[in-house]
Amino acid sequence: MILDIRIRNFALIKDSFIQFNKGLNIISGETGAGKSIVFEALGVCLGERASKSMIKSGEEHSIIEVRFLNTDLIEEKLKKLGLSNEEESILIRRDLYTNYPSISRVNGFSVTLNDLKMLTKDLCDIYGQYEHQLLLNPENYLPLIDSFDDEISSRLIEVQNAFKQYQNIKNELNNLQDKSKNLDNEIDYLDFQINEIENMNLRPSEDDELQEELLRLENFQLINNSIYKTKSLLSGDDYNNGVITNLSEAISYMNKIEEYDDGFLELRKRLESSLYEIEDINMELANFTEDDYDELRLEDINSRLAKIQSLKKKYSLDIDGILDKKLEFQSELDRLKNIEYLINEKTNELEVANSLYMDRANELSNMRKQFAEKIEKRLTIELKELDMLNIRFQIDFKNSSPSSTGIDNVEFLAATNKGSDLLPLRDIISGGEMSRFMLALKKIYADDSDKTLVFDEIDAGLSGKVANAVGNRLSELSKNCQVILISHLPQIIAKADTHFKIEKHDENDETISNVKELDFEERVKELARLLSGEKINDSTLQNARDLLEEKRG
């Protein structure tokens, strides 16, 4: 149930607050006053696509806030999203900006549009002005039946999974059969690729090792000169003592004084330790000779790296990936050499998958037909209540090619007059009949739901006795769930438990729409306007009063 909605800077609305009530809430107003703007704002707040053009001209920021009564189902969803506040109501807000992406919030926390839609689909069902067009497209009929009961929805998921499995196996079989037609070429090509990789004798991370060796060989002269200088500094030359000689002399001096102070003994030991380390380094440097430089090796490394790089570029993989690829090629080669066996095996799998799919699809089809009978009966009853006394309605099933939705093609057939043949609904339905069909569908689908139902001019094409019948059914529907609608028919508006009027006026060089809840006398005047236009007299006022008193009585 919607408790209230606040709309700021949206289309023609500058700032409006509407507090809805239980039962039947109706909004009226002159043509062009902006009645549909309220429902458009509600849809945007609940996750429908928003456009920057919806922001009121001259403004940079639009805000829509809708407060709903909380339910156990919604509370569970809120907990999963980490948004639970365990309060009696939840607040949904949508901010639109001219120079910034829109922001959706639930209970003050930002949420994604997908999460918002998931949450609000169980809160509100909005029937737009053009939604009745779905009755003109047979592709919508099967989803209507499947959404009638959760049991059908669960079985549909099983059918979809079985069809997906069947399709996957079928694609694998087709792939094998295609390969078998060109088997020799496939095997030759795989052999070539495997041999190409094997002949390289690749080692994991070999290119990194070769790059390191190449770098050392390319900088051999620098390395050799640096080692020579280092050895001279450590060992000395014809002109200077080296570090080792000087350090040895220092140790001998420390020997002479260590008996006078334990501190000198510790320092002498540390000098000796440094001497041993430097002598060890000097010996390792002595092992490095110019013989380590091999120009042929340098050429071999460059050649090897070029071949490795060519292979890496071909497969767009590093060495580890190429080695793994070779295993894949080998596995595929083994598979191709046994392709006839694999085709037979996959053919058997396909038969099993098809049998499973057909079992699931037939179960779904039978279930649909059972629920279709219930829909036929309930919809017929509802349509008779809506003054379609001669209505006959039938859901016709025909087999279709297997698909993810099953094996059913559905057609809605109807006859609206006595003696008429059943014909496709889309071929015979009028505008007023379409409105009544949609209201009847909403009624039977809403019987087990506590969602708020929102109708944008469902009374299009209706008048007189029929309008009164529609009003009665709306009133009946609103006893079980909250109903909000836009209407221009006095017979329907008089049934409202709460009546709002939207008006448009000019203010400071801009056009603004405002929404106001009407009291009894204001409702009388509004109904009189709708009954007679602008020329309101005592007679039309009394007619309006009689309509409202009938609702009261």
Side-chain angles (χ1 to χ4, degrees), residues 64-80:
I64 308 159
E65 291 181 323
V66 183
R67 191 181 305 275
F68 283 89
L69 188 67
N70 205 351
T71 66
D72 292 340
L73 175 61
I74 301 304
E75 185 62 28
E76 283 301 312
K77 289 188 174 185
L78 289 172
K79 287 179 180 177
K80 290 179 181 178

Side-chain angles (χ1 to χ4, degrees), residues 389-403:
L389 302 179
N390 298 317
I391 186 67
R392 286 185 296 137
F393 176 72
Q394 180 180 316
I395 300 176
D396 184 51
F397 283 81
K398 286 184 173 59
N399 287 336
S400 70
S401 300
S403 71

Side-chain angles (χ1 to χ4, degrees), residues 477-494:
L477 178 59
S478 68
K479 292 178 181 178
N480 297 322
C481 62
Q482 183 187 48
V483 177
I484 303 172
L485 74 142
I486 289 172
S487 179
H488 62 280
L489 294 179
Q491 298 95 324
I492 292 177
I493 296 173

Side-chain angles (χ1 to χ4, degrees), residues 172-186:
E172 291 172 5
L173 177 59
N174 290 339
N175 186 43
L176 286 171
Q177 290 171 335
D178 288 342
K179 287 182 180 295
S180 69
K181 296 174 185 176
N182 197 26
L183 190 59
D184 291 340
N185 289 339
E186 287 278 351

Side-chain angles (χ1 to χ4, degrees), residues 28-29 499-503 514-518 526 529:
S28 68
H499 183 183
F500 301 91
K501 183 179 181 181
I502 186 164
E503 295 179 308
N514 288 319
V515 183
K516 177 187 178 184
E517 181 178 346
L518 304 182
E526 174 65 1
R529 180 187 69 81

